[in-house]
Amino acid sequence: GENVEQHPSTLSVQEGDSAVIKCTYSDSASNYFPWYKQELGKRPQLIIDIRSNVGEKKDQRIAVTLNKTAKHFSLHITETQPEDSAVYFCAARNGNEKLTFGTGTRLTIIP
Amino acid sequence: SAVISQKPSRDICQRGTSLTIQCQVDSQVTMMFWYRQQPGQSLTLIATANQGSEATYESGFVIDKFPISRPNLTFSTLTVSNMSPEDSSIYLCSGRQGRTEAFFGQGTRLTVV
């Protein structure tokens, strides 16, 4: 089955700086890669996703890149703000199969 | 995207008892899932709830402990049976609607004493 590794487990950045979270996956057939943000005590929320037919996707301050050859994908947050502080999870999926989640990254934005 | 209402949001239960968690979606979804999340940890899939048939369980989870129902395309329940303190966790349901990706209920925080 699919295995998703996520790094780092914790990340602290100064407000206004950029944050990068990286994930690798094992199943070369995986073709869908979402990112979720989970604030304390809240449900995970989808923030951005990418499918295997593109290499990069942007949505305002958030971008995701995908390298299918190397089987890794990354989340980039620019101009970080205090409200970006949360736990972020990557995930991978093959077709209509289940999502496999990474272990999570706790991002702290330092004012 | 669709909205999932999950209840109860939290409960404190005696060991040996059972708790049923409900998820109601405001529109039909193709797939529904149940996850467990220990505090500070990732999401672990318990099972895929199949409409009108038995759920598909992941390794380490069994039907006798976590019976699941999904009578239609908008509703599912998870029962945590014969609870022990080790079952204390957050339980989340999620749904998938075509290419609209997994969205989650607000979670049930279960404490077993």
Side-chain angles (χ1 to χ4, degrees):
Chain A
E2 175 67 276
N3 181 52
V4 178
E5 296 189 356
Q6 183 172 347
H7 299 280
S9 56
T10 61
L11 179 61
S12 295
V13 300
Q14 291 285 349
E15 182 178 353
D17 288 350
S18 295
V20 180
I21 303 170
K22 299 181 179 181
C23 289
T24 60
Y25 61 98
S26 61
D27 186 355
S28 57
S30 287
N31 56 11
Y32 176 72
F33 309 92
W35 286 88
Y36 290 86
K37 175 183 181 182
Q38 187 175 32
E39 297 176 41
L40 188 63
K42 302 277 185 68
R43 73 187 84 188
Q45 298 269 19
L46 178 69
I47 56 171
I48 196 168
D49 57 12
I50 191 167
R51 299 185 190 273
S52 59
N53 57 342
V54 298
E56 183 176 0
K57 184 177 179 181
K58 275 188 178 180
D59 183 2
Q60 300 182 352
R61 297 186 296 108
I62 295 173
V64 57
T65 59
L66 171 64
N67 183 328
K68 285 216 70 177
T69 303
K71 290 191 282 189
H72 65 71
F73 56 112
S74 300
L75 178 71
H76 304 252
I77 306 174
T78 59
E79 301 172 17
T80 53
Q81 301 169 3
E83 53 264 37
D84 294 330
S85 294
V87 178
Y88 291 80
F89 293 99
C90 63
R93 194 186 80 207
N94 170 9
N96 220 23
E97 297 297 315
K98 62 188 180 185
L99 278 175
T100 300
F101 284 86
T103 48
T105 297
R106 182 174 301 278
L107 175 62
T108 302
I109 307 302
I110 305 167
Chain B
S1 61
V3 175
I4 298 182
S5 298
Q6 182 175 343
K7 60 181 182 182
S9 58
R10 60 177 63 231
D11 208 341
I12 301 173
C13 299
Q14 295 289 327
R15 68 178 67 200
T17 62
S18 298
L19 175 71
T20 295
I21 303 167
Q22 298 182 3
C23 278
Q24 177 73 54
V25 193
D26 64 354
S27 59
Q28 293 185 351
V29 291
T30 50
M31 302 182 80
M32 291 186 76
F33 306 90
W34 287 96
Y35 291 88
R36 185 168 70 184
Q37 186 178 31
Q38 304 283 17
Q41 307 218 358
S42 187
L43 290 84
T44 300
L45 182 64
I46 297 171
T48 301
N50 299 310
Q51 192 259 329
S53 64
E54 190 172 292
T56 304
Y57 289 85
E58 297 300 306
S59 175
F61 298 96
V62 295
I63 188 171
D64 290 346
K65 177 67 175 177
F66 298 101
I68 288 170
S69 78
R70 190 179 173 197
N72 55 52
L73 293 176
T74 64
F75 185 78
S76 181
T77 68
L78 168 75
T79 299
V80 186
S81 303
N82 187 24
M83 289 183 284
S84 66
E86 292 71 37
D87 295 321
S88 297
S89 189
I90 297 169
Y91 293 84
L92 291 147
C93 62
S94 78
R96 184 185 301 163
Q97 204 173 37
R99 282 172 64 88
T100 302
E101 283 316 316
F103 45 93
F104 289 85
Q106 58 265 58
T108 297
R109 182 179 294 271
L110 171 62
T111 303
V112 184
V113 297

